[in-house]
């Protein structure tokens, strides 16, 4: 009949079957679906739960079901709102809560929104960690006073802006009209529904199009029979005018495409705050979702929401992070605890202005994922079950835990290291003065000494420029008969005259023949003595004269300069430093041996590090631990006690922060090697927690101010017995004991003893030589006496009877 048909409802009919004389002021469903998809992408929602009331809701949100991505591990859960008796949605909401749903898309009629949110609040699903997107365009008509202060993020689209001048004017005129006729105001005087605004805009659109058409032609109304084939002559023109008209109504800019759909429109993005629904952005067909607030405004809003809010802090007893005070039995609340975690949460709360309650974890676990049940235990589980708002403990940030909860930036960096019993001190070696140089070097030095000595001796003999020595041999006397007499000696001279001058007759005049021998300055003895004296830094009377021997001497002096300097530099360290004897120095040493056992806490992050490591050494260590399950412990405390008990036969792998704390108080233990990996402790928060950024900023502020370092120094090195095992620096050099220098005295005594033995041998040899000389002289004298004249013999006999030796009455005992 060519009569224009105007719709103001959601219509999912496609353009292929649409009547050409129909137009719809309701936003085009395909475009509206894209708007929801753009909003999810702008809010970075990858996993969420859809709650729909009827099948139309699934059609409206069917594009959202395609958001799953296996690479991103995104997950979309779809549940239908089937109320129980009395419109009870709580059983369904509890199931969703247990499943860990925190991002929810709610598609239902505006009349049920408040009831569903109220029941969600009763089951604990309206906290600051929950986010809702309401698909209804009439959220501004719902009473949300009960949900303003819970911190829940509720977001929706809005087609009608109650604060616009057109809407407020329309509302005032409507109220005036209803008041004039004494009729009740159906919408409470706040605003109008989207459907009502669309009806208003539809009437206005029809009026504007009819008015425009009336200007160009006369419009006549005629009666038409529905069963006849007669058409209205102005219908086609009027529908074309409507499609071409662009106007601004209560629902914003109104325009249509060629098919009569309103595909080009603008939506307001609104969020629930303490002051009510507030516009935070817009969505348009061409540009998508754009939020008008900046990062600073958003951060300020979150911080303000924390003021005077009480957060439940889940933690676990572990020195020095959280400990019970000595008088904790008479204290209550947070006053019962002390430690690094207590001081840290106190500093953060002062910066952000919130209150907190410390709660010990129920099952005494940090948090691990059970693949069989699909649930987390420990503190991670309490976060997901909303029993706690944050976790503050020595909780390691791992990839697995990041999949369940959010973490702040690390407040402490650490790594896996080895705890082992401190090795015994090595007793000083009696010959520690030999330690600065290895045995091979000492052998090389002795070889060089012998070689240089022999080369010096050889070259000195061959060189014509090396001056000979003038040492004469003992002069030998011989008479005419060929008898050789010994060299002149006081004894010999005293035989002939009391004055010491020899008196001989011509017949007995002895002829003296002096034989001189020429030898070089550097004989074998002098060469060895020169080289040894130079090596020990002493001077000698014998010095080289030839250029060749001087070159050898110079090179030897340079060699000894370097060796003596190196020896002296290392000698002090070897004499004063007490060395430790440790069978292991690193993880590689542990992996190579079989005597010392090693393990970690079973099921902990340290064990997981070895289990997942691709490094050959660590994989080998994990294989050993798997083959020997008895090396695992249930806690760090048990591992520490086992290291002490087994006295060097067990090493325990644990996090470096715990090792540092233990070795400060148990002087028998020490850390072996460096860190095997790098990780950190962070504060755990529920997924998508709005408090993550403020708390991270507070930690960064404490770190830059040096507060974190001061807290660690306090609880690691001062409180609760800290600093007990610190080595006190001595004022001067350590005094050397007998064990350090005893070898030098031993060498001296052995050398002196050997020198005495050699001196005794020399003395005995020399004494025998002198005795033989006296006997020889005596025999020679007797021979001379028989040759002389009888007068002389008589005189000699007379002289001998009185004294055979001047000054002696008898012959010396040597004869």
């Amino acid at each position: 009949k060519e009569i224009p048909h105007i719709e103001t409802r959601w219509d999912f009919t496609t353009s292929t079957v649409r009547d050409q004389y129909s137009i719809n002021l309701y936003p085009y469903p395909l475009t509206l679906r894209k708007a929801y998809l753009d909003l999810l992408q702008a809010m970075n929602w990858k996993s969420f739960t859809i709650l729909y009331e009827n099948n139309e809701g699934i059609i409206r949100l069917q594009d959202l079901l395609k958001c799953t991505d296996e690479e991103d591990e995104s997950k979309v859960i779809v549940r239908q709102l089937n109320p129980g008796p009395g419109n009870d949605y709580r059983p369904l909401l509890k199931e969703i809560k247990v499943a860990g749903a925190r991002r929810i898309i709610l598609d239902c009629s505006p009349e049920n929104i408040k009831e569903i949110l109220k029941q969600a609040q009763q089951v604990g699903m309206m906290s600051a960690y929950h986010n809702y997107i309401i698909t209804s365009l009439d959220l501004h008509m719902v009473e949300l006073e009960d949900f303003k202060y819970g911190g829940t993020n509720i977001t929706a689209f809005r087609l009608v802006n109650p604060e616009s001048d057109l809407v407020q004017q329309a509302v005032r005129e409507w109220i005036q009209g209803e008041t004039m006729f004494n009729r009740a105001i159906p919408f409470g005087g706040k605003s109008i529904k989207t459907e009502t605004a669309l009806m208003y805009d539809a009437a206005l659109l029809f009026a504007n199009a009819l008015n425009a058409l009336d200007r160009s032609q006369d419009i006549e109304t005629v009666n038409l029979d529905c069963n006849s084939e007669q058409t209205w002559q102005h219908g086609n023109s009027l529908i074309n005018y409507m499609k071409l008209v662009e106007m601004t109504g209560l629902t914003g800019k109104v325009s249509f495409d060629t098919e009569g759909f309103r595909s080009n429109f603008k939506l307001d993005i609104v969020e629930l705050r303490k002051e009510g629904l507030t516009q935070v952005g817009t969505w348009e067909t061409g540009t998508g979702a754009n939020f008008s607030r900046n990062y600073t405004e958003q951060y300020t809003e979150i911080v303000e929401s924390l003021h005077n809010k009480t957060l439940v802090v889940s933690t676990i007893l572990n020195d020095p992070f959280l400990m019970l005070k000595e008088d904790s039995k008479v204290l209550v609340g947070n006053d019962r605890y002390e430690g690094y975690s207590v001081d840290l949460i106190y500093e953060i709360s002062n910066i952000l202005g919130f209150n907190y309650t410390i709660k010990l974890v129920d099952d005494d676990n940090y948090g691990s994922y059970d693949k069989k049940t699909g649930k987390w235990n420990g503190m991670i589980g309490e976060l997901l079950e909303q029993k706690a708002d944050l976790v503050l403990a020595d909780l390691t940030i791992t990839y697995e835990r990041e999949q369940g909860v959010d973490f702040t930036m690390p407040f402490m960096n650490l790594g896996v290291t080895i705890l082992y019993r401190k090795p015994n001190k090595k007793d000083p070696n009696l010959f520690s003065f030999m330690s600065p140089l290895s045995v091979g070097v000492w052998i090389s030095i002795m070889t060089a000494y012998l070689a240089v000595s022999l080369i010096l001796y050889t070259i000195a003999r061959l060189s014509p420029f090396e001056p000979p020595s003038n040492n004469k041999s003992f002069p030998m006397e011989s008479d005419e008969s060929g008898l050789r007499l010994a060299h002149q000696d006081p004894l010999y001279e005293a035989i002939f005259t009391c004055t010491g001058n020899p008196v001989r007759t011509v017949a007995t005049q002895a002829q003296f023949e002096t034989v001189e021998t020429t030898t070089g300055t550097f004989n074998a003895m002098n060469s060895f003595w020169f080289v040894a004296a130079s090596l020990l830094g002493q001077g000698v009377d014998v010095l080289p004269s030839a250029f060749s021997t001087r070159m050898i001497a110079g090179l030897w002096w340079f060699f000894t300069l370097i060796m003596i300097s190196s020896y002296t530099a290392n000698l002090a360290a070897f004499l004063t430093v007490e060395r430790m004897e440790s069978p292991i120095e690193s993880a590689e040493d542990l992996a190579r041996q079989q005597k010392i056992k090693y393990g970690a806490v079973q099921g902990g992050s340290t064990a997981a590090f070895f289990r997942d490591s691709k490094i050959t050494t660590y994989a080998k260590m994990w294989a050993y631990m798997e083959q020997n399950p008895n090396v695992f412990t249930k806690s760090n405390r048990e591992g520490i006690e086992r290291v002490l008990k087994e006295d060097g036969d067990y090493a325990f792998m644990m996090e470096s922060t715990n090792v540092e704390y233990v070795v400060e108080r148990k002087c028998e233990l020490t850390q072996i090697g460096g860190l095997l990996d790098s990780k950190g402790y962070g504060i755990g928060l529920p997924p998508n927690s709005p408090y993550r950024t403020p708390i991270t900023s507070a930690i960064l502020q404490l770190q830059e101010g040096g507060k974190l370092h001061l807290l660690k120094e306090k609880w690691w090195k001062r409180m609760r017995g800290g600093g007990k095992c610190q080595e006190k620096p001595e004022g001067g050099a350590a005094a050397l004991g007998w064990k350090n220098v005893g070898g030098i005295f031993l060498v001296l005594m052995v050398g002196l003893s050997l020198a005495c033995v050699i001196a005794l041998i020399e003395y005995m040899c020399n004494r025998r030589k002198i005795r033989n000389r006296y006997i020889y002289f005596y025999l020679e004298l007797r021979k001379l006496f028989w040759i002389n004249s009888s007068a002389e013999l008589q005189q000699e006999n007379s002289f001998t009877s009185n004294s055979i030796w001047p000054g002696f009455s008898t012959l010396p005992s040597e004869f």
Side-chain angles (χ1 to χ4, degrees):
K1 301 299 182 182
E2 298 185 6
I3 299 177
H5 179 218
I6 303 176
E7 296 178 308
T8 59
R9 63 182 179 87
W10 180 77
D11 185 9
F12 57 89
T13 305
T14 61
S15 59
T16 56
V17 296
R18 185 170 183 77
D19 187 0
Q20 61 177 342
Y21 292 99
S22 297
I23 59 174
N24 195 339
L25 271 75
Y26 197 90
Y28 186 38
L30 295 180
T31 307
L32 193 58
R33 271 189 260 166
K34 185 178 183 304
Y36 289 124
L37 189 60
D38 291 344
L39 180 61
L40 288 183
Q41 293 175 351
M43 298 178 67
N44 197 27
W45 281 26
K46 296 180 179 180
S47 298
F48 49 87
T49 299
I50 296 177
L51 299 180
Y52 69 96
E53 198 170 39
N54 49 47
N55 294 333
E56 289 184 357
I58 286 293
I59 298 175
R60 260 193 300 269
L61 304 176
Q62 59 180 330
D63 286 353
L64 304 185
L65 301 178
K66 304 174 183 178
C67 291
T68 57
D69 189 351
E70 295 182 358
E71 295 182 359
D72 295 338
E73 298 183 0
S74 58
K75 182 173 61 175
V76 177
I77 299 175
V78 182
R79 300 294 299 271
Q80 186 174 7
L81 290 167
N82 293 320
N87 289 334
D88 188 5
Y89 299 96
R90 282 171 293 190
L92 174 63
L93 295 175
K94 287 180 181 179
E95 292 181 12
I96 297 174
K97 178 184 176 181
V98 172
R102 296 178 182 271
R103 291 175 172 174
I104 301 169
I105 298 177
L106 179 61
D107 185 275
C108 64
S109 62
E111 293 78 12
N112 294 332
I113 291 177
K114 182 179 180 181
E115 182 62 27
I116 294 174
L117 293 180
K118 185 177 181 179
Q119 294 187 23
Q121 188 179 47
Q122 294 172 356
V123 298
M125 290 184 63
M126 291 295 289
S127 66
Y129 313 112
H130 289 85
N131 300 271
Y132 288 84
I133 291 180
I134 310 297
T135 60
S136 174
L137 299 179
D138 283 326
L139 185 62
H140 60 282
M141 297 300 296
V142 180
E143 182 59 46
L144 301 174
E145 186 67 24
D146 297 338
F147 316 113
K148 287 182 179 180
Y149 307 100
T152 308
N153 187 304
I154 300 177
T155 307
F157 281 131
R158 183 178 66 186
L159 191 61
V160 178
N161 184 5
E163 298 177 358
S164 69
D165 295 336
L166 288 177
V167 174
Q168 291 181 358
Q169 181 180 357
V171 171
R172 284 196 300 268
E173 291 176 355
W174 195 346
I175 293 175
Q176 291 174 0
E178 297 299 317
T179 304
M180 184 182 300
F181 294 100
N182 295 324
R183 289 182 298 201
I185 302 174
F187 50 87
K190 275 193 348 177
S191 184
I192 55 178
K193 293 182 178 180
T194 302
E195 184 182 4
T196 305
L198 290 173
M199 291 291 294
Y200 182 91
D201 288 346
L204 184 61
L205 173 65
F206 180 78
N208 289 338
L210 191 61
N211 186 33
L213 181 62
D214 186 55
R215 291 195 193 100
S216 60
Q217 54 182 294
D218 294 334
I219 300 176
E220 299 178 356
T221 58
V222 295
N223 295 325
L224 296 176
D225 187 0
C226 294
N227 296 323
S228 67
E229 296 181 357
Q230 185 180 1
T231 60
W232 187 38
Q233 60 178 347
H234 303 293
N236 192 33
S237 299
L238 184 59
I239 195 66
N240 290 332
Y241 265 98
M242 288 184 181
K243 291 180 180 180
L244 295 175
V245 167
E246 291 186 2
M247 70 171 195
T248 301
L250 300 183
T251 58
K253 181 182 177 181
V254 178
S255 62
F256 302 93
D257 57 17
T258 56
E259 301 297 332
F261 291 108
R262 189 178 178 180
S263 56
N264 188 10
F265 54 91
K266 178 181 178 181
L267 296 173
D268 294 337
I269 303 175
V270 294
E271 286 185 359
L272 181 62
R273 297 181 181 176
K274 293 180 180 179
E275 57 273 15
L277 281 178
T278 305
Q279 180 177 347
V280 295
T282 59
W283 181 91
E284 294 187 54
T285 305
T287 59
N290 296 298
F291 287 89
S292 57
R293 61 182 180 184
N294 55 32
Y295 174 80
T296 304
E297 293 176 351
Q298 185 178 5
Y299 177 80
T300 303
E301 292 172 4
I302 297 174
V303 172
E304 289 178 354
S305 68
L306 272 172
H307 288 170
N308 298 322
K309 187 179 182 67
T310 301
L311 302 180
V312 178
V313 181
S314 178
T315 185
I316 190 171
L317 289 173
N318 186 27
D319 300 348
F321 292 92
L322 187 73
M323 301 171 286
L324 290 172
K325 292 182 179 179
E326 295 179 356
D327 55 348
S328 60
K329 294 182 179 180
V330 298
L331 299 174
V332 295
N334 299 339
D335 295 335
R336 295 178 298 162
Y337 308 104
E338 65 177 357
Y340 181 89
S341 298
V342 177
D343 289 353
L344 180 58
I345 191 63
Y346 174 78
E347 296 292 340
I348 295 175
S349 65
N350 284 342
I351 294 174
L352 299 179
F354 63 84
N355 303 317
Y356 60 90
T357 300
I358 297 177
K359 173 188 177 298
L360 294 179
V361 62
D362 295 334
D363 59 2
D364 200 29
N365 287 317
Y366 285 86
S368 58
Y369 183 73
D370 189 346
K371 295 182 179 180
K372 295 181 179 180
T373 61
K375 294 183 179 180
W376 288 84
N377 63 3
M379 294 179 286
I380 302 296
E382 290 193 350
L383 278 181
L384 297 175
E385 294 173 4
Q386 300 181 26
K387 294 181 179 179
D389 296 299
L390 57 89
V391 168
L392 180 53
D394 52 329
L395 184 66
T396 307
I397 302 174
T398 63
Y399 173 77
E400 185 180 37
R401 288 171 178 166
E402 276 277 13
Q403 305 308 305
V405 298
D406 289 342
F407 282 97
T408 63
M409 68 165 287
F411 61 82
M412 185 178 295
N413 294 314
L414 64 145
V416 174
T417 189
I418 303 171
L419 180 69
Y420 189 60
R421 191 172 184 88
K422 187 176 292 186
N424 299 324
K425 292 183 179 180
K426 183 179 180 181
D427 293 333
N429 189 1
L430 188 62
F431 295 95
S432 57
F433 65 89
M434 302 285 288
S435 301
L437 302 178
S438 65
V439 176
V441 175
W442 283 115
I443 295 175
S444 300
I445 291 176
M446 295 304 299
T447 305
Y449 164 72
L450 296 174
V452 172
S453 299
L454 294 175
I455 292 173
L456 181 63
Y457 168 70
T458 304
I459 293 179
R461 291 292 300 269
L462 298 177
S463 176
F465 301 102
E466 191 66 39
S469 64
N470 294 322
N471 295 331
K472 297 180 179 180
S473 62
F474 293 111
M476 304 300 294
E477 299 179 9
S478 61
D479 56 9
E480 295 177 351
S481 61
L483 292 175
R484 288 190 176 274
L485 301 177
H487 61 81
Q488 295 182 4
D489 187 80
L491 175 63
Y492 176 80
E493 295 172 354
I495 298 297
F496 298 96
T497 176
C498 294
T499 62
N501 298 321
V503 178
R504 297 184 178 87
T505 62
V506 177
T508 59
Q509 289 283 336
Q511 296 181 357
F512 291 88
E513 179 184 355
T514 303
V515 182
E516 295 183 359
T517 58
T518 302
T519 58
T521 302
F522 281 96
N523 55 25
M525 200 65 174
N526 287 346
S527 298
F528 280 98
W529 177 250
F530 173 80
V531 175
S534 300
L535 181 61
L536 298 176
Q538 305 300 319
V540 292
D541 295 334
V542 181
L543 294 175
S545 298
F547 180 78
S548 58
T549 54
R550 286 185 177 184
M551 180 180 290
I552 295 174
L555 293 174
W556 177 251
W557 289 341
F558 178 75
F559 171 79
T560 57
L561 173 66
I562 301 301
M563 295 307 300
I564 292 174
S565 300
S566 303
Y567 175 81
T568 306
N570 291 335
L571 181 61
F574 278 91
L575 290 179
T576 57
V577 176
E578 293 182 342
R579 301 186 177 272
M580 302 289 189
E581 290 182 341
S582 179
I584 55 173
E585 297 291 342
S586 63
E588 288 75 13
D589 293 343
L590 268 182
R592 283 193 294 262
Q593 57 83 46
Q594 298 293 330
K595 180 181 178 182
I596 302 174
K597 302 176 183 177
Y598 50 89
V601 175
Q602 190 167 15
S605 59
T606 302
F609 161 73
F610 285 97
R611 181 194 64 203
D612 302 331
S613 178
K614 304 300 181 183
I615 301 176
T616 305
T617 301
Y618 304 153
K620 181 179 179 181
M621 295 175 69
W622 174 250
Y624 167 81
M625 288 186 277
E626 272 192 322
Q627 294 173 2
N628 301 272
N630 59 330
V631 300
F632 289 105
T633 62
K634 296 181 179 179
S635 64
N636 287 337
R637 190 184 302 273
E638 181 182 343
I640 295 169
E641 293 175 354
R642 186 169 178 180
V643 172
L644 290 171
K645 182 179 179 181
E646 300 197 13
D647 194 18
D649 291 334
Y650 182 78
F652 186 62
M653 265 75 71
M654 62 191 300
E655 292 168 342
S656 59
T657 51
N658 293 328
V659 173
E660 292 171 4
Y661 181 79
V662 170
V663 298
E664 285 286 339
R665 288 154 180 81
K666 296 184 183 296
C667 304
E668 304 91 345
L669 302 178
T670 186
Q671 176 180 332
I672 298 296
L675 303 183
L676 306 185
D677 68 337
S678 180
K679 50 192 174 184
Y681 290 149
I683 297 178
L685 297 165
N688 312 312
S689 172
Y691 306 140
R692 177 181 181 179
T693 301
I695 295 178
T696 296
S697 299
I699 293 174
L700 187 60
Q701 182 177 342
L702 293 174
Q703 183 180 13
E704 292 178 350
K707 192 65 179 180
L708 295 181
H709 176 72
L710 293 177
L711 289 179
K712 187 173 181 180
E713 289 288 321
K714 172 184 176 182
W715 289 105
W716 264 256
K717 297 187 177 181
R718 294 201 304 270
M719 304 298 291
R720 294 289 187 105
K724 175 183 176 182
C725 302
Q726 289 184 353
E727 296 182 359
K728 298 181 180 179
E730 298 181 358
L736 298 179
W738 172 255
K739 293 182 179 180
N740 300 102
V741 297
I744 304 174
F745 286 93
L746 181 61
V747 171
L748 178 61
M749 289 187 294
V750 171
L752 291 176
S753 301
L754 184 61
C756 292
V757 172
I758 294 175
L760 182 60
I761 294 174
E762 289 178 344
Y763 172 75
M764 296 299 295
C765 292
N766 186 53
R767 182 178 178 183
R768 183 178 180 182
K769 183 178 180 180
I770 295 175
R771 184 172 180 273
N772 292 336
R773 185 187 303 170
Y774 288 159
I775 294 173
Y776 176 76
F777 289 160
Y778 177 72
L779 295 175
E780 288 293 327
L781 288 175
R782 290 189 62 182
K783 183 179 180 180
L784 290 175
F785 291 155
W786 287 106
I787 297 174
N788 291 337
S789 61
S790 57
E792 292 177 354
L793 180 59
Q794 183 178 2
Q795 183 183 357
E796 179 181 352
N797 290 334
S798 176
F799 172 77
T800 305
S801 61
N802 292 328
S803 175
I804 195 170
W805 200 273
F808 295 93
S809 58
T810 59
L811 186 68
S813 60
E814 289 84 349
F815 292 174

